[in-house]
Amino acid sequence: MRKNSRYYICVTPFFPSPERWQGAYVLDQVKTIMRNSDYEVRVFVGGGDENSDYEVDGVRVYRYATREMPSNVLNGVFNGYNARSFVKRVLALGIDPEDVDFVHCHVSMRAACGLELKKLNPRIKVLLQHHDLDPFNLRSGVIGRNNRFNIRYRAKKAIRLYNEVDLHICISEACRDCLLLFPNPRQSEVYDDCKRSLALCNGMPSIKAKATYVLYNGVDCRLFCHGELPTNSEPRLFRIGCIANFQELKGHITLIKAFEILHNRGYTDVRLSLLGSGETKAECESYLRAHGLMQYVEWPKEVSHDKLPEYYRSLDLFVLPSYFEGFGCVFTEAAACGVPFMGCVGQGYSEYIPDEDRDKWLIEPRDYKRLADIIEAYMKFRYKQHLKETYDIDCLIGNYLQYLETL
């Protein structure tokens, strides 16, 4: 690729730390870029100073001071301050902007940082990665998320930045559709909260993207892979697993109702394993308790990222019927460990399922009766799941790096 003096800078609001593992997929992406190129990769995370720099899994993370409004009210009002703070930290580290090729910004307003550095070297390419089906960040925060002025302010700030960046990186075709169709929802959109937010942006202009690229969230196949299965004291049990924060849009209740149908059909040798926490967990527990199903449900504790393969391998099937999902690494992580997955049509992960196999693995959102049927069919026939795309992160990043050479 390039000589070692060239820099690839990553600016992100989330990255794993010694205390928290949030943003593991960004860490995997960074490590893979380092592994597959000659770039000097530098990671910058807002919310601190040089005294709070840290290292995680061999990657040095540099802090820069930021200001944010509570609950993302008027998101973007401090773009100028944050961008200048970022550039100041870059220069303090002795990085010459003339030696920077790319600034890879994660999530909406971080694009301001890359564009500020580009003022010092117009040859820099600013990349902006979108991680979900709300690429304008309209729904973030609790305060003001349904306020018309606040949402339109966010969108106006985003449009200005989005028209300037050199490349929009989207984690799925669905994510790209949401970006380019703004302020209109996708034809297949079922999530009312998303449609309400977009309706408040009616009449605003769409963005004029210079370029887009779909980069699926890859899997480190050295860690997530087929392996020795754990010893099961009850080998006849069929284990259905799910990893997700307990939120309405993740569709836990759809899975639970499907599980109830299977139980009522006589499948008492099936177990449901729900890993996660969040606002709708209590509701799910209440439903299970009221319908006499708690004894058939496992609640494993959350584990570090490197322990997840062991969990996946303990499953027979992974099911997460989320209906507002940009991609979801958990689907392909399960597949890499030899466990097929099921979910909903129209989501990022569904793009991996061939058209001819959709009826085996995908349902319409909230259709718990159909979910029960396809789970039962899989239990009977155990057919192999075929995927359209690779999930190997080295292959995905390798292709991506080749594409960057054409910008």
Side-chain angles (χ1 to χ4, degrees):
M1 292 277 301
R2 301 293 184 96
K3 61 182 181 178
N4 287 338
S5 60
R6 308 308 298 180
Y7 287 95
Y8 186 110
I9 292 177
C10 171
V11 190
T12 176
F14 36 72
F15 202 80
S17 70
E19 295 79 31
R20 299 184 63 190
W21 202 248
Q22 182 188 22
Y25 53 93
V26 183
L27 171 62
D28 285 344
Q29 184 182 88
V30 164
K31 288 165 54 182
T32 309
I33 292 171
M34 294 170 66
R35 202 164 55 240
N36 287 274
S37 76
D38 292 328
Y39 285 113
E40 290 286 341
V41 182
R42 297 290 183 268
V43 177
F44 290 82
V45 175
D49 55 30
E50 61 270 17
N51 295 320
S52 56
D53 292 348
Y54 64 92
E55 185 172 310
V56 58
D57 207 9
V59 177
R60 187 69 178 170
V61 180
Y62 301 94
R63 294 280 197 178
Y64 66 99
T66 57
R67 292 176 181 170
E68 305 290 349
M69 291 287 282
S71 194
N72 280 333
V73 172
L74 300 181
N75 193 22
V77 70
F78 289 118
N79 279 354
Y81 173 86
N82 294 338
R84 291 189 294 271
S85 174
F86 161 73
V87 171
K88 181 179 178 181
R89 189 76 216 278
V90 169
L91 298 178
L93 289 170
I95 298 174
D96 187 342
E98 292 296 324
D99 292 331
V100 177
D101 280 353
F102 301 103
V103 181
H104 186 153
C105 310
H106 290 264
V107 185
S108 65
M109 300 307 164
R110 294 306 184 280
C113 296
L115 292 169
E116 187 72 14
L117 190 63
K118 186 168 183 168
K119 292 178 181 178
L120 303 180
N121 174 13
R123 291 186 302 277
I124 289 174
K125 299 298 183 183
V126 179
L127 321 173
L128 178 60
Q129 184 161 355
H130 305 281
H131 292 268
D132 58 34
L133 300 184
D134 181 17
F136 287 78
N137 207 26
L138 303 178
R139 299 173 46 259
S140 64
V142 177
I143 304 172
R145 63 185 297 174
N146 294 315
N147 179 277
R148 184 176 184 273
F149 175 83
N150 186 58
I151 283 184
R152 291 178 74 88
Y153 180 90
R154 290 182 182 183
K156 183 179 179 180
K157 286 284 188 179
I159 291 168
R160 187 176 301 164
L161 295 174
Y162 291 8
N163 286 337
E164 292 187 49
V165 302
D166 297 288
L167 176 66
H168 291 272
I169 303 169
C170 303
I171 61 171
S172 62
E173 295 283 358
C175 178
R176 180 160 64 181
D177 288 345
C178 292
L179 175 71
L180 298 180
L181 287 172
F182 174 88
N184 301 307
R186 299 179 299 155
Q187 188 174 4
S188 61
E189 190 58 68
V190 299
Y191 190 37
D192 290 338
D193 194 34
C194 170
K195 291 191 284 187
R196 280 193 297 268
S197 296
L198 288 171
L200 295 175
C201 296
N202 186 44
M204 300 190 76
S206 299
I207 69 163
K208 298 177 181 178
K210 294 179 181 178
T212 63
Y213 185 88
V214 173
L215 177 60
Y216 292 112
N217 288 334
V219 177
D220 186 345
C221 293
R222 299 169 305 171
L223 176 62
F224 292 90
C225 56
H226 295 240
E228 185 177 345
L229 296 176
T231 302
N232 192 338
S233 60
E234 300 177 275
R236 292 184 63 255
L237 293 180
F238 183 94
R239 300 187 70 244
I240 301 170
C242 178
I243 303 176
N245 292 327
F246 279 82
Q247 300 172 305
E248 177 197 350
L249 57 84
K250 295 298 182 180
H252 285 92
I253 199 65
T254 299
L255 172 56
I256 289 170
K257 288 182 176 180
F259 178 72
E260 179 186 14
I261 290 174
L262 292 171
H263 181 78
N264 291 339
R265 289 176 182 175
Y267 291 99
T268 56
D269 57 348
V270 179
R271 295 292 180 270
L272 182 59
S273 178
L274 302 175
L275 195 162
S277 58
E279 59 199 40
T280 61
K281 187 172 183 178
E283 174 190 344
C284 292
E285 290 176 333
S286 296
Y287 187 95
L288 289 163
R289 192 174 294 109
H291 292 80
L293 297 171
M294 281 293 282
Q295 63 180 308
Y296 304 103
V297 180
E298 304 165 359
W299 306 89
K301 295 181 180 179
E302 295 188 41
V303 297
S304 61
H305 193 62
D306 61 335
K307 299 295 183 184
L308 284 176
E310 183 179 343
Y311 173 77
Y312 288 121
R313 293 178 196 131
S314 72
L315 307 175
D316 294 283
L317 182 65
F318 182 86
V319 183
L320 176 53
S322 53
Y323 50 83
F324 193 69
E325 191 79 54
F327 187 79
C329 297
V330 289
F331 294 93
T332 44
E333 287 175 352
C337 292
V339 180
F341 63 81
M342 292 181 176
C344 294
V345 298
Q347 312 310 307
Y349 57 81
S350 70
E351 295 167 22
Y352 268 65
I353 302 296
D355 290 345
E356 62 271 19
D357 288 346
R358 289 164 67 86
D359 289 344
K360 293 180 180 177
W361 308 108
L362 302 174
I363 62 166
E364 293 293 331
R366 305 184 183 92
D367 191 349
Y368 60 89
K369 294 180 181 178
R370 178 61 184 163
L371 181 57
D373 289 342
I374 64 174
I375 292 175
E376 182 179 27
Y378 178 72
M379 288 193 296
K380 288 180 178 178
F381 302 109
R382 298 294 185 104
Y383 25 71
K384 181 177 176 60
Q385 185 170 65
H386 301 282
L387 302 180
K388 291 167 58 177
E389 309 286 346
T390 181
Y391 47 68
D392 187 322
I393 195 168
D394 284 293
C395 293
L396 292 167
I397 292 296
N399 293 336
Y400 162 71
L401 290 170
Q402 288 181 17
Y403 173 81
L404 289 186
E405 294 292 336
T406 69
L407 280 181

